Amino acid sequence: MAGNTAFMIVGAGLAGAKAAETLRAEGFDDPIVLLGDERERPYERPPLSKSYLLGTSEKEQAFVHPPEWYADHRVDLRLGTTVTGIDPDGHRLTLADGSHLGYAKLLLTTGSAPRPLPVPGADLDGVVYLRRLADSDRLKETFRAASRVVVIGAGWIGLETTAAARTAGVEVTVLETAQVPLQRVLGREAGRIFAELHTDHGVDLRCDTQVAQITGSDGRADGVRLADGTRIEADAVIIGVGVTPNSGLAAAAGLDVGNGVHVDARLCTSHPDIYAAGDVASAFHPLLGKHIRVEHWANALNQPQTAARAMLGQDVVYDRLPYFFTDQYDLGMEYTGYVDPDAYDRVVFRGSTGTREFIAFWLAGRRVLAGMNVNVWDVTDPIRALVASGQTVDEAALADPDVPLAELLVSP
């Protein structure tokens, strides 16, 4: 059993690996145990729906550290290990094999899991979710063998896998309950642009559509039946209808849990020796003044670094604005900021949406809440500064490409 000076990290993905790296970089010299239920060492997830799925990067490039890093930095990496219980007051973990591990402090980086589609046939062979490396490998095999697929859900995973399938020459039908893709994230104004992007690349996009059943024969999916009775044939069905935080361990341990594990700005849970970071954490954001849960790569990269320093007693808070990116066909995009659905007044565009070279700004009053640059680069820092400043801006100047973004900030 690890001694009571050990720091335990449950969840061996990007967030867990970066926390371990930060602890060592900050001079922590006691035992670190990193526990993960997968057999693969920690890896980054964006390549699974982007470069690795497209075949433009190798599997090895997805891993956070080379294999020898963990031994070299005295990180006890235990793969294929499932934690079944936490005893907060006893500072002890229970593992699936019945053994126990003691800890001084604990970090939960358990991430999230794909939300299952609650319709008949969702358990048939040929129905694919994307979350792990093995899922991406399975999708690559699907694209090689299939001539037509149905993608259920037009969120980021759904659209990125659609782009990969079309690039591989597969016919794709996308089914979405909302009126436009990404409506819950970007709203209708920007969602329409992604709709046009995919239809321009030959995707059969059907929005405002309800799925009633995944049909099959001989135990394998062969199509999708809609609520209106329409049936769409398919060689495989990809489901991307969102994720749910893996907060069950925390809830069972009596920690404060809602939409994720509730943590303060230091990423500390309701127990002073337990922290959480990444997809699973619903963290109080000092700039936004509320708890938010962010499911993107940048959060898994940066948030655990703050959590690790907080575990060491440093006076730190996590106040980075959310950031995410996507690559689909010839469109590259970065988004900085945070906007609740329907919490903005309007979207202001700078540049040409027709040629897909523009910046979009979400405004409430005259304040910029978020910005999205599409095929326009090196503007993330000024967008972040605009959002973080909370200053009001001149809308005409905001829309004018000839006005540098930095000039929109008023010096105090």
Side-chain angles (χ1 to χ4, degrees):
M1 177 181 293
N4 61 12
T5 61
F7 279 16
M8 296 282 165
I9 304 170
V10 178
L14 172 61
K18 295 306 290 187
E21 178 184 306
T22 303
L23 288 170
R24 287 295 184 236
E26 293 293 319
F28 182 71
D29 199 43
D30 286 321
I32 298 174
V33 182
L34 178 56
L35 304 158
D37 60 2
E38 292 190 59
R39 295 291 179 180
E40 301 279 6
R41 71 182 189 274
Y43 58 86
E44 302 191 27
R45 297 194 188 274
L48 275 56
S49 61
K50 298 180 176 72
S51 59
Y52 182 64
L53 184 59
L54 286 163
T56 58
S57 70
E58 299 299 321
K59 178 178 179 180
E60 193 63 27
Q61 294 175 257
F63 293 108
V64 183
H65 300 114
E68 65 274 10
W69 184 89
Y70 300 94
D72 290 347
H73 291 80
R74 294 178 294 109
V75 174
D76 183 1
L77 176 61
R78 303 191 188 185
L79 301 176
T81 301
T82 300
V83 176
T84 58
I86 303 169
D87 176 3
D89 293 333
H91 288 69
R92 190 172 73 160
L93 302 178
T94 300
L95 306 185
D97 64 5
S99 63
H100 301 283
L101 294 172
Y103 65 84
K105 293 189 179 180
L106 172 66
L107 174 63
L108 300 176
T109 54
T110 47
S112 55
R115 183 177 296 123
L117 185 69
V119 299
D123 58 348
L124 290 168
D125 288 341
V127 176
V128 186
Y129 293 84
L130 177 58
R131 186 61 183 171
R132 300 188 170 194
L133 262 172
D135 299 329
S136 191
D137 287 332
R138 187 178 173 195
L139 276 178
K140 292 168 94 170
E141 294 174 3
T142 297
F143 295 161
R144 284 192 288 267
S147 60
R148 54 194 174 187
V149 301
V150 169
V151 176
I152 301 175
W156 294 119
I157 292 296
L159 294 187
E160 288 178 357
T161 55
T162 293
R166 289 297 298 131
T167 300
V170 180
E171 296 297 317
V172 183
T173 299
V174 175
L175 307 175
E176 169 58 43
T177 58
Q179 294 179 329
V180 295
L182 301 166
Q183 183 171 328
R184 287 174 287 275
V185 181
L186 302 180
R188 294 183 185 180
E189 300 89 343
R192 291 191 187 100
I193 295 166
F194 283 87
E196 293 170 0
L197 171 70
H198 283 270
T199 55
D200 285 353
H201 283 83
V203 174
D204 179 6
L205 175 63
R206 306 189 191 189
C207 293
D208 201 14
T209 300
Q210 298 289 333
V211 173
Q213 177 187 5
I214 297 174
T215 63
S217 58
D218 298 324
R220 184 169 184 84
D222 61 10
V224 174
R225 192 177 306 282
L226 306 182
D228 65 4
T230 303
R231 182 177 175 275
I232 305 166
E233 293 187 358
D235 301 313
V237 178
I238 302 167
I239 298 178
V241 292
V243 300
T244 55
N246 291 325
S247 54
L249 270 177
L255 301 180
D256 188 6
V257 170
N259 177 28
V261 181
H262 283 199
V263 293
D264 60 20
R266 299 174 56 251
L267 305 176
C268 186
T269 70
S270 53
H271 190 284
D273 291 330
I274 303 178
Y275 296 73
D279 284 14
V280 76
S282 176
F284 182 80
H285 198 288
L287 294 179
L288 301 173
K290 60 184 176 182
H291 281 78
I292 63 171
R293 191 174 65 83
V294 179
E295 299 167 353
H296 297 292
W297 165 85
N299 206 54
L301 176 71
N302 296 302
Q303 204 174 60
Q305 299 178 48
T306 297
R309 294 184 177 105
M311 292 168 76
L312 295 173
Q314 297 180 21
D315 185 14
V316 292
V317 298
Y318 188 77
D319 59 2
R320 292 178 67 97
L321 287 168
Y323 165 92
F324 58 88
F325 70 98
T326 191
D327 296 299
Q328 301 173 33
Y329 311 110
D330 55 354
L331 181 148
M333 180 277 279
E334 298 173 292
Y335 179 104
T336 304
Y338 184 86
V339 184
D340 280 320
D342 303 319
Y344 62 94
D345 300 332
R346 60 204 177 283
V347 179
V348 173
F349 293 95
R350 165 187 285 232
S352 171
T353 58
T355 61
R356 300 188 187 112
E357 292 185 11
F358 64 90
I359 307 173
F361 299 96
W362 283 258
L363 273 68
R366 293 173 56 199
R367 288 185 56 244
V368 177
L369 303 178
M372 178 179 76
N373 49 299
V374 173
N375 292 335
V376 176
W377 307 110
D378 300 321
V379 292
T380 300
D381 287 343
I383 290 174
R384 181 182 295 114
L386 274 174
V387 175
S389 73
Q391 295 182 9
T392 59
V393 297
D394 179 88
E395 189 170 321
L398 188 66
D400 187 349
D402 293 327
V403 178
L405 292 176
E407 291 186 7
L408 297 172
L409 282 175
V410 179
S411 299

